[in-house]
Amino acid sequence: ERSVKSGKPLRVKYGIDPTGSDVHLGHTVPLRKLRLFQELGHQAVLIIGNYTALVGDPSGRIETRPRLTPEQVAANASDYLQQISAIIDIEKAEKHYNGDWFSRMTFLDVMTLTSKITVQRMLERDDFTKRLRAEPSIPIYLHECLYPLMQGQDSVEIHADVELGGSEQLFNLMIGRRLQEDAGQQPQVCLTLPILRGLDGKEKMGKSLGNYIGVRESAYDQFAKTMSIPDELMCEWFTLLTDRSPEEIARLTDPQTTHPREAKLTLAGDIVRSYHGEAGAAKAAEEWIKRNTKREDPTEIPEVVLSKSQLTDGKMPVSKLLVALNLAPSNNEARRLIQGGGVTLGPGREKVIDVNATVAVTAGLIVRVGNRKVVRVRVE
């Protein structure tokens, strides 16, 4: 209402900590909302948390995050903006690194900031309560208590009118309101968005769990990973990751009107199209159908070179072969893959079921682990 009356665009803040090298689909949920504010004429303000990343956000965590070094954070932050530009108009957004103000703070400034909140209030947050009640209790380190104050101070520094975040961020966002009022500013509106569950269908999508899809992954990998999600995730993903209407989503996720496979093909196409365009989505769909429906090998099969010295009479134990071809990280994992029935050889897709089997390795031999990992052997 204030924006309408004054004709002044809202300053809409979203902060992202470069705790890893990839921006993933979980990050795009609030970023898509930020883009919508941009399209409506408001000012997007992006905070790259190069200092908050050094602390680690305790939101949604029942244990302390591993501490990152300044060098790790700087490396991660180096191409975040380029990845984010796939979702928002990065040229029209304000960009700030919160180290610009936190690096100038004295110890007295930090003490003044910590005086804005009580220990009792800090311990009210659900994450810390769970740690205290755990048996045995899980440590709460003092530096973690600085995080919500730092995020709140970001709002003061950039005079945020609205801050976007996941639902687990509400405590941090509300601290921003409190610090703004203390600074004589109008308190920001806190707009929270649902948490996107990852590929496993259970946990929040995150880099530490490896259950994510990165925005810069290849079109095929984005498509194939989306096709692997549990059916019950589709409504959530359609709602949070696409522009489809509630009516369309209801139709697509109703098995009485749309087969789940077709719905998932549509979802995968929508997601890939956002980052690789129409042609990229069409090619990824064609490749996925070729590999998974027609059971054909990939259009392009990478080659891996083995030296003759690695072979004994032209043969190699199958578990060692998988490791040598980088299809398994260890012999134990290779045995697990074989026991799971996912390893096949040659044009006839001969299944290997004996973990102690020895394989004749010839030039051009195709080795597969499932449908996604396929290599051709070159012997030199």
Side-chain angles (χ1 to χ4, degrees):
E1 289 176 351
R2 189 172 75 245
S3 177
V4 169
K5 288 177 182 177
S6 66
K8 184 179 178 182
L10 294 167
R11 293 177 59 74
V12 186
K13 169 197 171 193
Y14 175 64
I16 184 169
D17 289 345
T19 53
S21 59
D22 293 327
V23 174
H24 57 67
L25 295 188
H27 295 127
T28 71
V29 177
L31 283 167
R32 283 169 51 81
K33 190 63 67 177
L34 186 61
R35 184 185 68 193
L36 180 57
F37 274 106
Q38 282 188 311
E39 292 170 354
L40 294 171
H42 299 292
Q43 179 61 58
V45 184
L46 194 64
I47 306 289
I48 301 295
N50 59 328
Y51 259 53
T52 40
L54 295 173
V55 174
D57 186 3
S59 299
R61 307 279 296 195
I62 60 169
E63 57 186 16
T64 304
R65 287 180 181 271
R67 294 291 301 279
L68 298 176
T69 66
E71 292 75 22
Q72 287 173 314
V73 171
N76 293 338
S78 62
D79 64 348
Y80 256 41
L81 291 178
Q82 188 274 327
Q83 294 180 65
I84 290 169
S85 68
I87 302 102
I88 68 170
D89 188 336
I90 203 72
E91 296 302 320
K92 292 183 178 179
E94 278 186 30
K95 284 86 69 178
H96 300 276
Y97 289 82
N98 61 14
D100 291 346
W101 44 85
F102 288 127
S103 64
R104 295 195 301 266
M105 278 191 167
T106 66
F107 189 68
L108 181 59
D109 293 328
V110 175
M111 284 200 297
T112 300
L113 184 60
T114 58
S115 71
K116 308 295 183 182
I117 190 170
T118 66
V119 172
Q120 290 94 325
R121 179 78 177 94
M122 188 65 71
L123 292 178
E124 285 177 11
R125 66 177 303 158
D126 187 53
D127 321 291
F128 291 165
T129 300
K130 287 179 179 177
R131 293 197 208 176
L132 285 173
R133 291 177 178 172
E135 191 59 49
S137 62
I138 301 171
I140 302 168
Y141 289 94
L142 193 55
H143 74 275
E144 295 180 275
C145 299
L146 289 175
Y147 190 94
L149 288 166
M150 294 174 74
Q151 184 171 330
Q153 185 64 26
D154 290 345
S155 296
V156 173
E157 295 287 343
I158 59 100
H159 293 262
D161 293 312
V162 178
E163 182 171 9
L164 306 175
S167 56
E168 88 286 9
Q169 288 280 316
L170 184 58
F171 184 92
N172 297 348
L173 273 56
M174 294 294 287
I175 294 297
R177 284 175 57 88
R178 180 168 179 169
L179 294 183
Q180 285 179 305
E181 288 179 310
D182 189 75
Q185 298 178 15
Q186 287 283 341
Q188 65 187 12
V189 171
C190 305
L191 198 163
T192 61
L193 295 147
I195 299 299
L196 185 75
R197 286 181 290 170
L199 300 173
D200 54 10
K202 298 176 183 178
E203 301 293 338
K204 169 186 174 183
M205 181 175 285
K207 287 162 282 195
S208 60
L209 296 175
N211 64 346
Y212 71 96
I213 297 176
V215 300
R216 63 177 173 184
E217 289 188 44
S218 71
Y220 180 77
D221 283 345
Q222 288 182 347
F223 198 98
K225 286 184 177 182
T226 302
M227 292 301 295
S228 74
I229 66 171
D231 290 351
E232 57 267 25
L233 272 191
M234 282 198 287
C235 183
E236 179 181 320
W237 279 39
F238 267 122
T239 302
L240 299 179
L241 301 175
T242 79
D243 294 325
R244 293 189 179 272
S245 68
E247 293 76 20
E248 285 182 295
I249 295 171
R251 176 179 57 79
L252 285 165
T253 55
D254 182 355
Q256 299 298 319
T257 57
T258 308
H259 192 282
R261 180 180 179 277
E262 294 305 312
K264 206 174 290 184
L265 285 168
T266 301
L267 173 62
D270 285 353
I271 290 171
V272 175
R273 196 173 296 110
S274 298
Y275 306 104
H276 297 280
E278 190 66 50
K283 187 176 179 181
E286 181 182 346
E287 184 71 15
W288 188 88
I289 290 170
K290 178 181 180 179
R291 297 191 198 186
N292 295 274
T293 302
K294 298 180 181 180
R295 295 294 179 182
E296 297 176 5
D297 286 325
T299 304
E300 298 178 6
I301 302 176
E303 281 193 339
V304 178
V305 177
L306 292 182
S307 67
K308 292 180 181 178
S309 62
Q310 292 176 273
L311 309 177
T312 303
D313 296 329
K315 297 180 180 181
M316 180 182 279
V318 64
S319 58
K320 289 186 177 181
L321 177 63
L322 294 182
V323 174
L325 296 176
N326 296 317
L327 293 174
S330 65
N331 285 334
N332 285 338
E333 179 63 14
R335 293 188 188 97
R336 188 190 67 79
L337 293 170
I338 295 165
Q339 290 169 341
V343 177
T344 60
L345 305 173
R349 293 179 176 264
E350 178 186 352
K351 183 174 289 189
V352 180
I353 56 175
D354 181 1
V355 296
N356 297 312
T358 298
V359 176
V361 181
T362 55
L365 175 68
I366 295 176
V367 183
R368 309 171 192 81
V369 174
N371 293 316
R372 291 185 59 198
K373 293 183 177 181
V374 184
V375 300
R376 179 181 281 113
V377 179
R378 193 168 86 216
V379 180
E380 293 183 350

